[in-house]
């Protein structure tokens, strides 16, 4: 894995941002799921459209270098879309990962955030691990570790991140390359947890 993280850190900032944006696309359905799930207090927590708009602005900035987008303002808006701190549900934590990942990209667009790309990569992986822990219900730590290691969702996550990194490393990041990367990130609407909105 260390070789993978090294390659991530060696990317130019714009390529790192493209990598993170593609991962955010794949995390977005988890946030939408959370918002659609009935909650104890008020339903309609969060705002998938708000998150979508901010991620679209990130892609726009990547495609149009001259785009003048106030990412400080977007970061303020994003902070309001976080699940409530009191909500410790599994869905809220996965929704929070999507917000945190998008927030990491905004940090890089607003200034220097050298670890952001690693944070986003790890957040996506740890969500998958948490999901496997939840669904497998294995008490034995060693058996759980091997279950996680060999789980198809982990393999899928690793393959996905490898594919995004290879796409980001290859050739110029022009409009067509960014479009292809975005399609890859959307993963036909299936999130890193294997959840689909369809």
């Amino acid at each position: 894995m260390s070789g993978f993280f090294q390659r991530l850190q060696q990317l130019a900032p714009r390529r790192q941002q493209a990598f993170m944006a593609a991962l955010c696309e794949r995390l977005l359905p988890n946030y939408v799921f959370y918002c659609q799930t009935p909650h104890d207090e008020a339903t309609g927590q969060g705002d998938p459209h708000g998150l979508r708009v901010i991620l679209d602005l990130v892609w726009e900035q990547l495609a149009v270098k001259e785009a003048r987008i106030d990412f400080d303002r977007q970061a303020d808006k994003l902070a309001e879309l976080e699940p409530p701190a009191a909500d410790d549900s599994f869905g809220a934590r996965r929704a929070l990962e999507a917000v945190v990942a998008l927030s990491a990209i905004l940090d890089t667009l607003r200034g220097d955030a050298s670890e952001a790309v690693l944070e986003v990569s790890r957040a996506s992986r740890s969500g998958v691990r948490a999901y496997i822990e939840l669904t497998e219900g294995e008490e034995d730590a060693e058996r759980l570790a091997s279950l996680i290691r060999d789980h198809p969702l982990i393999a899928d996550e690793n393959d996905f991140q490898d594919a995004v990194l290879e796409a980001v490393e290859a050739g110029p990041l022009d409009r067509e390359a960014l479009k292809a990367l975005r399609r890859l990130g959307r993963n036909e609407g299936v999130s890193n947890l294997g959840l689909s909105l369809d």
Side-chain angles (χ1 to χ4, degrees), residues 15 37-38 53 60 78 96 145 163 166 194:
R15 290 180 188 269
T37 310
V53 168
E60 186 182 328
L78 183 60
L96 185 61
E166 280 162 26

Side-chain angles (χ1 to χ4, degrees), residues 69-136:
I69 297 165
D70 182 349
F71 282 111
D72 287 330
R73 182 147 169 267
Q74 297 309 319
D76 291 341
K77 285 184 184 172
L78 183 60
E80 291 169 15
L81 302 179
E82 275 189 22
D87 188 347
D88 194 31
S89 66
F90 181 82
R93 290 202 294 271
R94 304 295 74 83
L96 185 61
E97 279 160 5
V99 174
V100 167
L102 189 46
S103 177
I105 309 181
L106 297 188
D107 288 344
T108 66
L109 289 163
R110 295 155 70 206
D112 184 40
S114 55
E115 294 291 302
V117 72
L118 301 183
E119 280 169 37
V120 173
S121 171
R122 288 186 183 126
S124 185
R125 285 180 213 276
S126 71
V128 177
R129 272 198 302 277
Y131 183 70
I132 296 167
E133 284 173 16
L134 179 82
T135 51
E136 296 294 341

